[in-house]
Amino acid sequence: MNQIANGWEEYEVIDTGNREKLERWNKVVLRRPDPVAIWPIRSEGEWNRADAVYHRSNKGGGYWETKKPVKENWTIGYRDLRFKISPTGFKHTGLFPEQAANWDFTMEAIRERKAKSDNPVRILNLFAYTGGATMAASRAGADEVVHVDASKGIVAWAKENMHINHLEDHTIRFIVDDVLKFVKREIRRGRKYDGIIMDPPSYGRGPNQELWKLEDQLYELVSECARLLSDDPLFFLVNCYTTGFPLSAMKETLTRVLVDTRGGSVEVGENLLPVTKGGVLPCGIFGRWTPKQ
């Protein structure tokens, strides 16, 4: 089951091709690399609209070439959410728009639960980046959202997004920590969550240089996180951008850890963005477990 994030108004993928994508972020048009766009571009003229172009460096990373004046940062809206956008030295902008489909799912699940029950809803967001899913869950009415990321700077960015969304009076706990170590401590504390979201990187290091490699540690992480689910959970959602990591491996992992012990069902698929000039842009995969209704 593939999912397309087609609810955007202030963001669009204008065109893709030649391993690049041309995007509009509110009123700013950016051109940056995307290795999956292996086809030719559709409209040569559109690419001249770019306000800034990202160039990769042979030494790693890269730099932005500005064609027109571009602010250091600005905001972009999705439904009733807003986020800070700022082009970084590693081509990213601080937001993954394809995740909007998962935000919609998360918000709907939380709102449905809140409409039926007075019990508090607690959500755990791991590898939480700048907090797109955190803000969505909090806006939907989650009583507590715990946001965990290993980067102090990225967590500071997430706090900015909290202020932009005027969610200061909501309970959001921001944690800078190695995810697996944090999860194991939460297990020892006996903490429980109704929904768990994770967006693990392919490779990385924690705040104390803890090594993370998705293929080696995903099953362990999912297994440990499953122990944090409440007795009446809403969902367990995993996103993955690791090139070549198969959907079948994602499905098998969630099935063995969750369906075999708790029942319910697993859906897997690709995250897609619509392209204005035609077609779609693949943006990683997702796996989602939900309990039996």
Side-chain angles (χ1 to χ4, degrees), residues 19-230:
R19 299 186 184 276
E20 289 187 292
K21 55 188 172 186
L22 185 70
E23 308 161 287
R24 177 179 62 84
W25 299 81
N26 203 335
K27 296 180 180 179
V28 181
V29 177
L30 301 179
R31 177 176 177 174
R32 55 189 181 135
D34 196 310
V36 305
I38 59 175
W39 42 82
I41 63 176
R42 288 185 182 272
S43 176
E44 186 81 38
E46 289 287 351
W47 294 77
N48 296 325
R49 293 175 53 189
D51 298 306
V53 180
Y54 185 86
H55 299 282
R56 289 192 183 278
S57 168
N58 293 331
K59 299 178 181 179
Y63 66 95
W64 287 95
E65 176 192 5
T66 54
K67 304 289 187 178
K68 303 171 187 175
V70 175
K71 293 181 179 179
E72 181 178 346
N73 61 76
W74 63 96
T75 63
I76 187 171
Y78 179 77
R79 304 196 193 282
D80 55 353
L81 298 168
R82 294 207 71 81
F83 303 101
K84 172 189 168 183
I85 301 301
S86 182
T88 71
F90 293 94
K91 86 169 182 175
H92 296 300
T93 62
L95 196 68
F96 294 100
E98 65 274 8
Q99 291 302 319
N102 286 322
W103 305 339
D104 288 342
F105 166 82
T106 298
M107 296 177 82
E108 182 179 0
I110 293 170
R111 285 168 174 159
E112 286 184 359
R113 173 61 61 85
K114 297 296 290 184
K116 296 176 183 177
S117 171
D118 293 330
N119 293 334
V121 172
R122 303 180 65 244
I123 303 295
L124 177 61
N125 188 15
L126 303 171
F127 307 98
Y129 196 48
T130 60
T134 297
M135 304 310 144
S138 186
R139 174 71 75 205
D143 296 273
E144 180 183 25
V145 182
V146 177
H147 174 112
V148 185
D149 197 280
S151 169
K152 185 176 180 180
I154 289 297
V155 170
W157 193 330
K159 290 179 180 179
E160 288 186 71
N161 281 329
M162 176 187 68
H163 291 295
I164 291 170
N165 284 283
H166 306 294
L167 295 171
E168 298 92 339
D169 59 340
H170 291 224
T171 302
I172 303 175
R173 293 175 55 213
F174 293 98
I175 309 291
V176 178
D177 203 349
D178 173 75
V179 162
L180 190 54
K181 288 183 177 179
F182 174 81
V183 167
K184 290 182 176 181
R185 285 202 305 275
E186 290 289 87
I187 292 170
R188 292 194 295 270
R189 294 172 182 140
R191 299 265 289 177
K192 296 293 181 181
Y193 295 89
D194 303 294
I196 296 176
I197 303 164
M198 65 174 72
D199 198 350
S202 302
Y203 177 89
R205 291 188 181 274
N208 297 311
Q209 297 303 302
E210 301 90 345
L211 179 63
W212 164 269
K213 190 174 181 182
L214 183 125
E215 295 92 334
D216 295 340
Q217 293 177 272
L218 182 63
Y219 189 87
E220 178 189 6
L221 178 62
V222 171
S223 298
E224 292 296 293
C225 287
R227 298 171 63 185
L228 293 175
L229 281 173
S230 68

